[in-house]
Amino acid sequence: MEIGMEFVAAAVNAFEANKRLADRAVAQVPDDKLHVALDANTNSIAVIMKHVAGNLLSRWTDFLTSDGEKPWRNRDNEFIDTFRSRAEAVEYWERGWSCLFTTLRGLRADDLAKVVTIRGEPHTVPLAMARSLGHTCYHVGQIVQ
């Protein structure tokens, strides 16, 4: 396998492992506790799920052709818990992850040499992938906490 595609496969593997970790943690939390922050300076699991999903949807929708910070994204709203149920939170969470995995699995070796933008800043495709993985792993750690 070509080194670039090995990198994509490794990134998919790391994202999958982190999603499994978060999903197992979320499954252990009672529905009402998904909406409770540990203290006044943290976010609830539901809010973290909303933010991660919103970020993944924004970054990975039309990944190669549009800025990763979509005009339709309302980042500030991601930190307001508007979910009425676990099912609603999980549905949005799954949408974000599905967008990520569909895009990553659709990348080709020549895509790795391309430059994408995030908030107007140029990133190589591997850098954008690494940035997203780091951000997502950080929040998965918060969920597990």
Side-chain angles (χ1 to χ4, degrees), residues 10 61 75 92 109 120:
T61 297
R75 186 180 181 282
Y92 191 61

Side-chain angles (χ1 to χ4, degrees), residues 16 24 35 39 50 58 94 104 106 126 128 135 138-139:
E16 287 174 336
R24 286 193 306 262
H35 305 278
D39 64 42
K50 185 177 181 183
S58 184
E94 293 295 338
L104 285 179
H135 177 258
Y138 172 82
H139 290 302

Side-chain angles (χ1 to χ4, degrees), residues 23-87:
D23 287 345
R24 286 193 306 262
V26 169
Q28 295 177 44
V29 178
D31 291 359
D32 61 319
K33 300 296 185 202
L34 286 176
H35 305 278
V36 177
L38 293 177
D39 64 42
N41 298 311
T42 62
N43 292 302
S44 70
I45 291 173
V47 165
I48 296 168
M49 291 172 71
K50 185 177 181 183
H51 170 62
V52 168
N55 181 271
L56 293 175
L57 286 165
S58 184
R59 295 294 183 264
W60 296 98
T61 297
D62 302 324
F63 173 65
L64 296 172
T65 59
S66 68
D67 192 284
E69 188 67 16
K70 303 298 184 281
W72 44 258
R73 183 181 184 198
N74 183 348
R75 186 180 181 282
D76 290 343
N77 186 57
E78 292 169 9
F79 295 95
I80 301 168
D81 187 356
T82 56
F83 295 130
R84 294 174 302 240
S85 67
R86 174 185 292 267

Side-chain angles (χ1 to χ4, degrees), residues 38 140-145:
L38 293 177
V140 166
Q142 289 178 311
I143 290 170
V144 171
Q145 174 67 32

